Amino acid sequence: MSVVSLSRNDDVAVITIDNPPVNALKHEVRAGLMDTLAQARDDAGVRAVVIACAGRTFVAGADITEFGKPRQPPSLSDVIALLESMPKPVVAAIHGTALGGGLELALGCHFRVAAPGSRLGLPEIKLGIVPGGGGTQRLPRLIGMEKAFPMILSGDPIDAKEALAAGLVDEIADGDLTAGAVAFARRAAEKGGALPRIRDGDDKLAALRADPKKFDDIVAANLKRTRGMHAPAKAVEVLRAAIEMPFDEGLQAERDAFSELVTGDQSKAQRHIFFAEREALKIPDLPRDIKPREINRAVVLGAGTMGGGISMCFANAGIPVTVIEASEEALDRGFGIIRRNYENTMKRGGLTQAEMDSRLGLFARTTDFDAVKDADIVIEAVFEEMDLKKEVFGKLDRIAKPQAVLATNTSYLNVDEIAQATKRPSSVLGMHFFSPANVMRLLEIVRGKETAPDVLATAIAVGRKIGKVPTVVGVCHGFVGNRMLRARAIEAERLLLEGALPHEVDGALTEFGLPMGPFQMGDLAGLDVSWRIRKATGLRAEVADTLCEAGRFGQKTGKGFYIYEGGSRTPIPDPEVEQIIVNASRRLGVTRRPIGKEEIVERLIFPMINEGARILEEGIALRPGDIDVIYVYGYGWPIWRGGPMFYADHIGLPYICDRLTEFAKNSGNKSLEPAPLLAQLAAEGRGFGSIGLTTKKVA
Ligand SMILES: NC(=O)c1ccc[n+]([C@@H]2O[C@H](COP(=O)([O-])OP(=O)(O)OC[C@H]3O[C@@H](n4cnc5c(N)ncnc54)[C@H](O)[C@@H]3O)[C@@H](O)[C@H]2O)c1
């Protein structure tokens, strides 16, 4: 079967693309379009043409696997050039999503008819590139720069209704889409006259041409902080070209920008994450036909920092959720924050009053634990104390439905031990959300020794339903993300003792691209949390513990590694802290020296990579890519650096091994010695990217 076919509906030719799953524009599709378009053009019996797609969507993009490889003609630009030279009306019939190259194909057509609910966008920026098939030149000409700019810079699609209002589509077909598009095409043919080509329409840009400062205003109003990313700057450049250059020169500028970005390191990293995110959903020993359990109501235990955010995730996805707390006061506090969060989103225009009301209507609240009996899934988010968790799970076991999935949001505790507090450990697993839970996309799903396959499948399905990026990990202290962070925390403290100051350490990491460094993060989370854990396990961190002993718990006390003035969240370096650090170095007999940014980054990041290697050896993570996904979506790792394991390959494992060996020697800390897997890969001249699935046990 050909991926592109032509059929006739009387005098209208219907070209159908059928390249499951998403009708990506691979080479055969482009070639098929060239052939069928030429046929339709040359057939005197054809008066108009419709391009439609089989399956669940219109063309949802280019074939990403072709990126960065030598181009095989015809290119998408060739197809679009042919489209624009067609002497008969061509109508794109859009359903599902018209994204990237798909939307560019549609922009090459004379008209666009869309099914209700379809979505249209240019998401290239999310892969570190700009559109390469004329999208940056045609979209602003069609809908104006004010609307095109945010679409291209955010990569977010708009829906059919918005697209109709913007003039991106000409009609919404309520009934059968192809029939609607055929009727539209026939009407256009009957009407006759010049066919509209977007490349010729300049009136939407006239005002900007007359006053170029207007473009700068659009940039200023829409350009978010892009922190080291190349693609947004390039996108601005080529959008400016749409105003300043003739169409064909603008196209050339776009093509040059695309070629430069697509072969660059940033886009490679972003494509790696794109694939890794999808790969992470594949659990090799999970039967393909496994059916997730049905989820109609969730119960969240605890309305604190995490419980509140987690319950919002369910309500946002339309799933009724009951929140159970220990007291009415705690419920009031929790619901106060939930309401405020929604109101803030509404004020920013992200939610209508009606939407907010309907979401709030999905919440129920109670202090009666018996409400657990209605739950299909329970997420426990009470204090991080093993005895409390066990007590709660014991109670859950007595009250919850036999089929209920019982999940804990614990950050560190042993999920298997918690599961043993029930008589149904196969229904128990970890669902580790990240703070703020209603915002952060990562969901570490912690698979216990006895977790049943359908329970795991349910957690993955629920995670996707509530818009998270689920990644399955095994049981160990801190799972993947926090365990690697611990390796970093030890070195961060060590850097202070050796001569660095908190703002130097944090500054080096923010410059690297992380949203904040370890000390800002500690102040935000509360230094008392890890202090309590250290005290319980007999460990000491000289600087952090001294701060806590002085009542400096971070933002919540207005002082931590930094000082926060008048309730502000802006960290200000504090001379008192510097004194505490200098004294600590003296007490421990460590000679202070100046430490450069590069050393700071290596000292903090290489031990994380080393811990990542151990995590892979132990089978706690299934693939290096899973670790990368965890760091990008849960810890703000810059996506254009592709996650820690991808970054390691980029730097080169032999260098990392050598540095770690040095760090271990200088500090006497044996855990800094290269992990066997890291050493082995380095010796064999391989990278993490070469190992694919880990072969060890999964959980
Ligand atoms: N804060 C984070 O950044 C974060 C991130 C991921 C996971 N976690 C984990 O999530 C869990 C909750 O953390 P948090 O930061 O939301 O804590 P929190 O102190 O903000 O909230 C805990 C809530 O649980 C309630 N609670 C205590 N016992 C209860 C019981 N028996 N029944 C019902 N409610 C009860 C408390 O009243 C409190 O409101 C912990 O296990 C923590 O390790 C926290």
Side-chain angles (χ1 to χ4, degrees):
M1 246 292 280
S2 167
V3 289
V4 181
S5 59
L6 187 149
S7 66
R8 283 282 290 276
N9 182 320
D10 199 2
D11 54 355
V12 177
V14 178
I15 294 174
T16 304
I17 303 170
D18 187 5
N19 177 29
V22 296
N23 291 313
L25 280 174
K26 65 174 176 181
H27 169 254
E28 289 81 353
V29 172
R30 300 193 302 269
L33 282 169
M34 293 296 279
D35 289 347
T36 47
L37 280 169
Q39 267 179 53
R41 177 194 59 201
D42 299 339
D43 186 337
V46 169
R47 293 182 66 203
V49 184
V50 165
I51 299 182
C53 284
R56 60 181 158 96
T57 180
F58 191 72
V59 175
D63 183 344
I64 300 173
T65 58
E66 290 182 4
F67 282 7
K69 296 186 186 151
R71 285 195 194 199
Q72 246 190 311
S75 68
L76 174 58
S77 301
D78 297 333
V79 177
I80 293 173
L82 176 56
L83 274 171
E84 287 186 327
S85 73
M86 291 288 283
K88 315 169 180 185
V90 184
V91 178
I94 296 166
H95 73 296
T97 49
L99 298 178
L103 182 58
E104 290 178 306
L105 179 73
L107 289 171
C109 298
H110 302 114
F111 304 102
R112 285 146 297 279
V113 172
S118 36
R119 289 180 308 143
L120 300 88
L122 292 172
E124 283 80 352
I125 202 97
K126 296 186 176 176
L127 294 178
I129 51 177
V130 293
T136 62
Q137 306 302 300
R138 288 191 182 85
L139 192 63
R141 280 178 168 78
L142 183 64
I143 66 173
M145 192 60 84
E146 290 78 0
K147 293 200 171 72
F149 190 97
M151 274 181 79
I152 290 169
L153 265 294
S154 71
D156 295 333
I158 59 173
D159 67 16
K161 253 196 229 153
E162 248 183 288
L164 182 70
L168 177 51
V169 302
D170 300 280
E171 189 176 280
I172 294 184
D174 281 317
D176 181 276
L177 173 65
T178 309
V182 165
F184 188 102
R186 197 167 281 135
R187 281 200 306 276
E190 276 158 15
K191 199 165 148 212
L195 290 167
R197 297 193 312 171
I198 295 174
R199 58 181 291 143
D200 303 329
D202 269 350
D203 51 321
K204 285 261 167 63
L205 298 180
L208 292 180
R209 291 220 169 99
D211 181 3
K213 208 189 113 345
K214 286 206 172 110
F215 181 75
D216 296 327
D217 295 342
I218 296 174
V219 176
N222 289 286
L223 196 59
K224 306 239 163 57
R225 279 206 311 153
T226 50
R227 298 167 40 105
M229 297 175 106
H230 296 154
K234 278 279 167 206
V236 172
E237 211 177 290
V238 294
L239 283 166
R240 194 186 291 278
I243 303 165
E244 293 179 351
M245 291 180 185
F247 185 80
D248 285 318
E249 282 176 38
L251 269 192
Q252 189 57 48
E254 179 197 88
R255 216 166 292 146
D256 292 345
F258 174 88
S259 303
E260 186 185 322
L261 290 168
V262 83
T263 50
D265 289 335
Q266 294 198 350
S267 175
K268 272 185 210 146
Q270 287 181 248
R271 268 145 41 208
H272 160 71
I273 292 297
F274 178 89
F275 288 118
E277 187 184 329
R278 280 149 188 81
E279 202 59 29
L281 295 171
K282 296 182 193 150
I283 311 304
D285 64 336
L286 201 59
R288 278 188 82 97
D289 54 357
I290 195 92
K291 258 182 77 124
R293 298 184 185 176
E294 202 176 314
I295 302 296
N296 296 313
R297 174 167 291 274
V299 162
V300 174
L301 298 178
T305 311
M306 295 309 288
I310 294 168
S311 59
M312 286 176 73
C313 297
F314 283 97
N316 293 349
I319 302 170
V321 55
T322 305
V323 181
I324 303 181
E325 253 293 353
S327 69
E328 286 296 333
E329 297 78 64
L331 278 175
D332 288 343
R333 205 176 337 115
F335 273 85
I337 296 170
I338 290 171
R339 177 172 283 278
R340 248 196 327 280
N341 275 336
Y342 279 130
E343 282 169 353
N344 287 341
T345 312
M346 192 173 73
K347 276 189 209 129
R348 283 199 310 271
L351 208 60
T352 64
Q353 176 79 45
E355 281 165 340
M356 178 175 100
D357 293 345
S358 96
R359 287 183 195 188
L360 284 170
L362 289 169
F363 284 89
R365 47 176 282 177
T366 180
T367 54
D368 180 4
F369 203 87
D370 271 354
V372 153
K373 69 180 183 328
D374 299 327
D376 300 307
I377 185 166
V378 179
I379 316 261
E380 166 279 309
V382 304
F383 302 130
E384 183 81 342
E385 291 161 18
M386 185 50 108
D387 288 344
L388 176 62
K389 304 257 188 209
K390 282 184 176 169
E391 184 198 318
V392 166
F393 272 78
K395 277 208 292 193
L396 278 178
D397 191 25
R398 288 192 290 278
I399 302 172
K401 290 182 200 171
Q403 277 302 94
V405 170
L406 308 179
T408 170
N409 181 48
T410 180
S411 308
Y412 293 95
L413 300 174
N414 187 319
V415 173
D416 289 327
E417 199 178 327
I418 295 174
Q420 288 309 319
T422 72
K423 290 193 205 66
R424 42 173 138 169
S426 63
S427 287
V428 177
L429 82 180
M431 286 176 76
H432 184 209
F433 291 76
F434 289 74
S435 181
N438 52 316
V439 177
M440 296 302 285
R441 301 222 28 230
L442 177 65
L443 178 63
E444 267 186 345
I445 296 182
V446 189
R447 180 181 195 173
K449 241 190 341 245
E450 296 187 43
T451 305
D454 67 329
V455 170
L456 182 63
T458 308
I460 296 172
V462 167
R464 297 194 69 190
K465 177 122 198 247
I466 63 177
K468 300 295 175 197
V469 178
T471 313
V472 176
V473 301
V475 175
C476 66
H477 186 74
F479 317 120
V480 172
N482 285 344
R483 173 168 160 184
M484 284 166 67
L485 214 54
R486 219 179 103 72
R488 185 181 83 172
I490 294 168
E491 277 308 284
E493 162 89 14
R494 181 85 206 159
L495 281 166
L496 294 184
L497 293 172
E498 288 180 24
L501 292 174
H503 67 273
E504 291 166 345
V505 174
D506 288 341
L509 281 198
T510 45
E511 213 167 283
F512 179 80
L514 283 154
M516 61 180 88
F519 301 119
Q520 287 166 300
M521 198 166 162
D523 275 2
L524 179 68
L527 302 178
D528 51 322
V529 183
S530 39
W531 185 39
R532 220 173 304 129
I533 297 173
R534 281 194 299 275
K535 277 198 292 192
T537 45
L539 293 169
R540 186 163 173 84
E542 193 62 28
V543 177
D545 288 0
T546 311
L547 292 175
C548 287
E549 283 151 12
R552 303 182 68 123
F553 292 167
Q555 287 191 16
K556 60 177 141 185
T557 56
K559 284 176 177 184
F561 281 103
Y562 297 92
I563 194 158
Y564 301 84
E565 283 172 353
S568 142
R569 287 171 174 270
T570 312
I572 302 168
D574 184 354
E576 224 173 88
V577 174
E578 182 168 349
Q579 203 48 57
I580 288 174
I581 294 170
V582 171
N583 291 344
S585 304
R586 194 173 312 129
R587 269 201 306 281
L588 298 184
V590 184
T591 312
R592 296 182 68 77
R593 64 182 169 91
I595 304 179
K597 277 185 208 162
E598 199 176 320
E599 179 179 340
I600 292 176
V601 169
E602 291 185 350
R603 291 271 302 271
L604 295 181
I605 302 237
F606 292 180
M608 292 172 74
I609 293 166
N610 206 24
E611 200 60 35
R614 291 194 187 105
I615 282 170
L616 289 168
E617 282 165 12
E618 293 167 26
I620 295 294
L622 282 169
R623 321 159 180 88
D626 291 10
I627 299 178
D628 291 334
V629 167
I630 286 171
Y631 262 83
V632 166
Y633 289 108
Y635 295 85
W637 181 281
I639 191 165
W640 49 271
R641 286 195 195 270
M645 309 319 273
F646 183 87
Y647 176 71
D649 284 355
H650 174 73
I651 294 293
L653 303 192
Y655 177 73
I656 295 176
C657 272
D658 290 350
R659 292 295 281 157
L660 283 167
T661 307
E662 248 173 84
F663 300 159
K665 206 168 96 216
N666 294 344
S667 66
N669 176 0
K670 279 196 164 323
S671 73
L672 290 174
E673 279 166 12
L677 175 66
L678 178 59
Q680 182 198 334
L681 290 173
E684 291 171 2
R686 294 166 57 195
F688 288 109
S690 71
I691 65 177
L693 268 175
T694 51
T695 46
K696 290 269 178 79
K697 67 182 168 45
V698 173

